[in-house]
Amino acid sequence: MDDPEGTVSYLLRLVVPDRPGTLGAVATALGTAGADIVSLDVLERGGGLAVDDVVVDLPPGRLPDRLITAAQGVPGVVVESLRPFSGSLDTHRELELLELLARAEEGTAVKLLAAELPRVLHSGWAAVLGGDAASAELLAASEAAPTFNGTALPWLPLTAPRLLPSDDDWLPERWREMAIEMMAAPFGGERRTAVVLGRSGGPAFRRSELLRLVHLVGLAATVAHLPPA
């Protein structure tokens, strides 16, 4: 994301040793590379490791590869992915979305949810689908979402949340080539709709992100006065 001062934002997904001082060392290393940390989300912790999403601003002219070199210069740190980032950096993203849904006009909640979820959950796009495998219908979508036209979706109707990794057998070849990672959760409504989030080129969604999606769409359905899934 470019800002008025010309900086560019990147999202780093880091796997780091879960011990005191590690994040401080990473912050120092990234600062030495010219980066400014503006947001950090802890996705998972366990087994002596933590998975963190770190958004940084990098001045123009600085190569983003330097971020990888700097972060992995800290013992035990692995950069799982690095990609350009755009969207809100507000730490209260979920609350803002729920407030918008509470004030939304009747019939607009689904479109609003699809439009806003990518910035809340750091995905590339979001879509809301209805129907079943033979007759899936795109009900709402954010910018950059695929059309799903003519795409077989054997996991519909969705009865439970699930990860949809880029190596699943059902994915069209062109989606595999783009390494499209997805996750989906049932959403409120009589049509048994599903919310799908995706991003190209990884990183793969983790189960902690899926649980966060389930929690958020459940709250969204309640706030928007939609019937349960």
Side-chain angles (χ1 to χ4, degrees):
M1 175 182 68
D2 297 335
D3 72 9
E5 298 181 356
T7 59
V8 182
S9 295
Y10 292 92
L11 176 61
L12 281 159
R13 175 158 295 181
L14 306 177
V15 181
V16 305
D18 191 9
R19 57 175 180 260
T22 300
L23 277 181
V26 171
T28 299
L30 293 175
T32 302
D36 180 26
I37 296 178
V38 293
S39 175
L40 185 146
D41 287 331
V42 179
L43 298 180
E44 294 181 1
R45 301 179 72 177
L49 297 173
V51 180
D52 302 326
D53 273 354
V54 183
V55 177
V56 302
D57 281 348
L58 197 63
R62 297 290 183 95
L63 296 177
D65 289 352
R66 295 185 61 183
L67 300 174
I68 299 176
T69 302
Q72 294 189 157
V74 178
V77 173
V78 175
V79 176
E80 188 172 283
S81 68
L82 168 67
R83 59 190 175 96
F85 175 81
S86 62
S88 170
L89 300 177
D90 191 343
T91 56
H92 301 291
R93 298 181 299 269
E94 292 92 341
L95 296 179
E96 286 186 349
L97 173 56
L98 294 176
E99 183 179 353
L100 288 172
L101 288 170
R103 293 188 280 110
E105 296 180 3
E106 185 177 354
T108 65
V110 171
K111 292 182 178 180
L112 180 61
L113 186 69
E116 295 295 324
L117 273 177
R119 75 177 180 89
V120 175
L121 295 177
H122 291 172
S123 68
W125 53 265
V128 181
L129 301 173
D132 54 31
S135 59
E137 179 183 359
L138 183 64
L139 304 178
S142 69
E143 295 182 1
T147 63
F148 290 91
N149 289 341
T151 302
L153 304 175
W155 39 271
L156 284 180
L158 192 66
T159 58
R162 62 182 293 172
L163 298 172
L164 301 166
S166 59
D167 59 356
D168 271 4
D169 293 338
W170 66 271
L171 273 91
E173 183 62 31
R174 67 185 185 281
W175 290 17
R176 289 170 178 260
E177 293 173 353
M178 296 171 62
I180 294 182
E181 301 286 347
M182 291 180 286
M183 63 177 176
F187 185 50
E190 296 178 359
R191 303 178 68 179
R192 301 178 69 183
T193 55
V195 175
V196 184
L197 267 65
R199 53 191 174 215
S200 299
F205 287 103
R206 290 179 173 265
R207 192 154 297 278
S208 58
E209 293 178 280
L210 181 61
L211 293 176
R212 188 176 171 193
L213 174 63
V214 171
H215 178 68
L216 184 55
V217 298
L219 289 174
T222 300
V223 169
H225 306 293
L226 296 173

